[in-house]
Amino acid sequence: MTSLSGKTQIDWAAFARALAPVEVITEPVLIKKRSRDFFWYSPILNAALKTCFGDLVARPKTPQDLAHVLAQAYAHDAPVVLRGGGTGNYGQAVPVDGGLIVETTAMNRILEIGPGFVRAEAGALMADVNAALAETGAELAMFPSTQDIATIGGFVAGGSAGIGSLASGPLREPGNLLALRALSVEAQPREHVFTGADVLQIHHAWGLNGAITDVTMRTVPRRDWIGCIASFDSYADAFDTGYAVTQTPGLTPKLLTTVDARIAAYFPRLAGHVRPDTHLMVTLISAEERDLLQQTITARGGVLDLALTDDDRAALNLPHVFEFSYNHTTLQVLKADRTATYQQIGCPEPPSVDDIRALAPALGDDVWMHHEFSRAGGRVYAVDLPIIWFSTPERLAEINATYERHGFTVYDAHSWQVEGGGLKNADYRHLAWKKRMDPKGLLNSAKSAAWDRVKALPAAEIDAMAVTSKP
Ligand SMILES: Cc1cc2nc3c(=O)[nH]c(=O)nc-3n(C[C@H](O)[C@H](O)[C@H](O)COP(=O)(O)OP(=O)(O)OC[C@H]3O[C@@H](n4cnc5c(N)ncnc54)[C@H](O)[C@@H]3O)c2cc1C
């Protein structure tokens, strides 16, 4: 077998034989499919990554299979990229150096459910974990809006927050991620268990410092959630009411999203269910809090158009309200028009409608706001994931500069290296663990701009750099 990626000198047919009895995928068309994620949300990432392919796919079913695969990768000096559902937005799972793609979705057992926690293998789908928890009266403290395709391992390695983060905080909030078990890439892969604050050594490292085998996450008692959509005549009113809902005693939503009317026009399934041409506030609230929610919305000039239990929703054949939140909002627009893209913007704290009012006229007609409210350390913050009608990289830079001039922070969604986005800096704790867990630098190394600079140093020295350069 020749190298599909054109980047490796490995005899892939011999390599595939050495992986037996682990299942492999050798058909080029299927390897190419598994070399992609949702990077195409960004025209910049699309241009950079669309021709990057792996050479072979392995599908381990157990941690023992995975250890065998990693040992072979070590023996052959093969670059390795872990892959769950492939729903990441920054090309995290794209094999930029070619090599082996390890798809975890067959390693998917739910191992243990106990008071306040669930432990599942890395390839378990988030929706399956939630379904198993529902039987016991519990639910994940948070999950991404992609729960039907995303794996629990991919979420903790590539994601950051999701449905539930308004109640429970992002993944990195102490107590949300309870333990992560990961294998090193060595002649005999070793297992390391990260617990307590140490889970941050591997969370959001994009799979470059260990192959996660199982994840223990916090669960919370399941409540009777109702999916609500309210409409407003101005975006400022939707935003202001959204923040007010998060601050009203007696209201404890787990999701709160606000969406500009021009974006809402791309939600055809809501036609006839919400007032047309209005700005939306989307929320998930406990059934017993419905009346107070309605009063809060009405007092601010809004209309509660939809308030649905899961059964109501199924009867109307409507999607979950969270399919109008997080990056699903962007997806609804992209389904109709691939020239749209988005950005990730932190709002000044605490969230204030005055900041939104001051910013809006400066942005231009090619930027449509969409905010997610979340909570960290007890305080509520807002993140804008605007739809941007992409024209040129220069115009995108100008939009970023406009946000920054108004005191907002840009977490660039158009970078395929981990330092370019939310982290804004090298996380040397991640890289020190990479040195320990992946001494040959085979795991997704191209995704760190800083790795080449530090890879020759001892792990302790890389760790020490974290003190002077906080991520
Ligand atoms: C429509 C849409 C909505 C989204 N909504 C959200 C959201 O609400 N919240 C959010 O945080 N993100 C969101 N995302 C981004 C993405 O869905 C999440 O990051 C998701 O949880 C990733 O899971 P996955 O299984 O698809 O991971 P993948 O995309 O397969 O992988 C993500 C990263 O994790 C690494 N990885 C995967 N498995 C392992 C493993 N076992 N060990 C080590 N590394 C591993 C990969 O190498 C890659 O770097 C969204 C994306 C889309 C397209």
Side-chain angles (χ1 to χ4, degrees), residues 73 92 126 132 139 155 239 256 306 371 421 425 436:
Q92 294 109 304
M126 303 292 290
E139 62 185 26
F155 183 45
F239 181 93
L256 205 138
L306 280 179
H371 287 91
N425 197 348
R436 295 180 188 108

mmCIF file of all heavy atoms in Angstrom, residues 73 92 126 132 139 155 239 256 306 371 421 425 436:
data_model
loop_
_atom_site.group_PDB
_atom_site.id
_atom_site.type_symbol
_atom_site.label_atom_id
_atom_site.label_comp_id
_atom_site.label_asym_id
_atom_site.label_seq_id
_atom_site.Cartn_x
_atom_site.Cartn_y
_atom_site.Cartn_z
ATOM 1 N N ALA A 73 2.270 1.808 16.513
ATOM 2 C CA ALA A 73 2.573 3.154 16.004
ATOM 3 C C ALA A 73 3.964 3.585 16.481
ATOM 4 O O ALA A 73 4.758 4.146 15.716
ATOM 5 C CB ALA A 73 1.517 4.147 16.473
ATOM 6 N N GLN A 92 -9.252 19.701 14.626
ATOM 7 C CA GLN A 92 -8.493 18.990 15.674
ATOM 8 C C GLN A 92 -8.170 17.551 15.271
ATOM 9 O O GLN A 92 -7.128 17.022 15.600
ATOM 10 C CB GLN A 92 -9.284 18.913 16.990
ATOM 11 C CG GLN A 92 -9.554 20.209 17.702
ATOM 12 C CD GLN A 92 -11.011 20.576 17.597
ATOM 13 O OE1 GLN A 92 -11.527 20.673 16.498
ATOM 14 N NE2 GLN A 92 -11.661 20.813 18.723
ATOM 15 N N MET A 126 -22.216 10.633 23.534
ATOM 16 C CA MET A 126 -22.784 11.395 24.653
ATOM 17 C C MET A 126 -24.279 11.109 24.812
ATOM 18 O O MET A 126 -24.787 11.000 25.920
ATOM 19 C CB MET A 126 -22.603 12.909 24.417
ATOM 20 C CG MET A 126 -21.201 13.393 24.204
ATOM 21 S SD MET A 126 -20.138 13.275 25.631
ATOM 22 C CE MET A 126 -20.756 14.484 26.740
ATOM 23 N N ALA A 132 -28.519 6.217 29.131
ATOM 24 C CA ALA A 132 -28.302 5.257 30.227
ATOM 25 C C ALA A 132 -28.527 5.940 31.574
ATOM 26 O O ALA A 132 -29.103 5.349 32.497
ATOM 27 C CB ALA A 132 -26.880 4.690 30.143
ATOM 28 N N GLU A 139 -28.598 12.838 34.771
ATOM 29 C CA GLU A 139 -28.178 13.288 33.438
ATOM 30 C C GLU A 139 -26.788 13.880 33.553
ATOM 31 O O GLU A 139 -26.336 14.232 34.654
ATOM 32 C CB GLU A 139 -29.161 14.310 32.859
ATOM 33 C CG GLU A 139 -29.287 15.593 33.677
ATOM 34 C CD GLU A 139 -30.364 16.543 33.133
ATOM 35 O OE1 GLU A 139 -31.310 16.075 32.486
ATOM 36 O OE2 GLU A 139 -30.242 17.746 33.390
ATOM 37 N N PHE A 155 -15.253 14.931 23.358
ATOM 38 C CA PHE A 155 -15.758 16.142 24.018
ATOM 39 C C PHE A 155 -14.731 16.658 25.026
ATOM 40 O O PHE A 155 -14.406 17.844 25.026
ATOM 41 C CB PHE A 155 -17.101 15.838 24.697
ATOM 42 C CG PHE A 155 -17.765 17.033 25.343
ATOM 43 C CD1 PHE A 155 -17.846 18.253 24.692
ATOM 44 C CD2 PHE A 155 -18.333 16.923 26.611
ATOM 45 C CE1 PHE A 155 -18.471 19.357 25.288
ATOM 46 C CE2 PHE A 155 -18.962 18.018 27.210
ATOM 47 C CZ PHE A 155 -19.027 19.231 26.549
ATOM 48 N N PHE A 239 -31.421 39.953 24.283
ATOM 49 C CA PHE A 239 -30.185 39.779 25.062
ATOM 50 C C PHE A 239 -30.411 40.191 26.517
ATOM 51 O O PHE A 239 -30.028 39.470 27.448
ATOM 52 C CB PHE A 239 -29.069 40.616 24.429
ATOM 53 C CG PHE A 239 -27.742 40.493 25.121
ATOM 54 C CD1 PHE A 239 -26.807 39.556 24.685
ATOM 55 C CD2 PHE A 239 -27.414 41.300 26.210
ATOM 56 C CE1 PHE A 239 -25.572 39.424 25.326
ATOM 57 C CE2 PHE A 239 -26.191 41.175 26.856
ATOM 58 C CZ PHE A 239 -25.271 40.244 26.412
ATOM 59 N N LEU A 256 -29.201 29.044 27.811
ATOM 60 C CA LEU A 256 -29.818 30.308 27.396
ATOM 61 C C LEU A 256 -29.041 30.894 26.222
ATOM 62 O O LEU A 256 -27.849 31.180 26.325
ATOM 63 C CB LEU A 256 -29.898 31.327 28.525
ATOM 64 C CG LEU A 256 -31.054 32.293 28.214
ATOM 65 C CD1 LEU A 256 -31.889 32.622 29.412
ATOM 66 C CD2 LEU A 256 -30.595 33.514 27.465
ATOM 67 N N LEU A 306 -43.004 29.182 22.340
ATOM 68 C CA LEU A 306 -42.962 27.719 22.486
ATOM 69 C C LEU A 306 -42.502 27.366 23.890
ATOM 70 O O LEU A 306 -41.551 27.957 24.413
ATOM 71 C CB LEU A 306 -41.950 27.118 21.510
ATOM 72 C CG LEU A 306 -42.341 26.911 20.051
ATOM 73 C CD1 LEU A 306 -41.160 26.323 19.287
ATOM 74 C CD2 LEU A 306 -43.553 26.007 19.926
ATOM 75 N N HIS A 371 -25.679 34.919 20.993
ATOM 76 C CA HIS A 371 -24.963 34.780 22.269
ATOM 77 C C HIS A 371 -25.355 33.516 23.021
ATOM 78 O O HIS A 371 -26.515 33.098 22.999
ATOM 79 C CB HIS A 371 -25.238 35.995 23.164
ATOM 80 C CG HIS A 371 -24.539 37.236 22.699
ATOM 81 N ND1 HIS A 371 -25.114 38.132 21.828
ATOM 82 C CD2 HIS A 371 -23.299 37.709 22.966
ATOM 83 C CE1 HIS A 371 -24.255 39.112 21.575
ATOM 84 N NE2 HIS A 371 -23.157 38.878 22.244
ATOM 85 N N GLY A 421 -6.549 29.454 19.311
ATOM 86 C CA GLY A 421 -7.967 29.665 19.606
ATOM 87 C C GLY A 421 -8.193 30.105 21.031
ATOM 88 O O GLY A 421 -7.642 31.104 21.486
ATOM 89 N N ASN A 425 -2.445 30.899 24.122
ATOM 90 C CA ASN A 425 -1.042 30.775 24.505
ATOM 91 C C ASN A 425 -0.724 29.286 24.554
ATOM 92 O O ASN A 425 -1.632 28.466 24.636
ATOM 93 C CB ASN A 425 -0.849 31.380 25.904
ATOM 94 C CG ASN A 425 0.619 31.663 26.194
ATOM 95 O OD1 ASN A 425 1.497 31.216 25.462
ATOM 96 N ND2 ASN A 425 0.867 32.398 27.262
ATOM 97 N N ARG A 436 5.977 13.354 28.498
ATOM 98 C CA ARG A 436 5.959 12.113 29.299
ATOM 99 C C ARG A 436 5.208 10.983 28.600
ATOM 100 O O ARG A 436 5.619 9.827 28.646
ATOM 101 C CB ARG A 436 5.266 12.365 30.648
ATOM 102 C CG ARG A 436 6.013 13.340 31.537
ATOM 103 C CD ARG A 436 5.286 13.547 32.870
ATOM 104 N NE ARG A 436 5.920 14.621 33.598
ATOM 105 C CZ ARG A 436 5.388 15.835 33.781
ATOM 106 N NH1 ARG A 436 4.181 16.112 33.309
ATOM 107 N NH2 ARG A 436 6.050 16.756 34.428
#
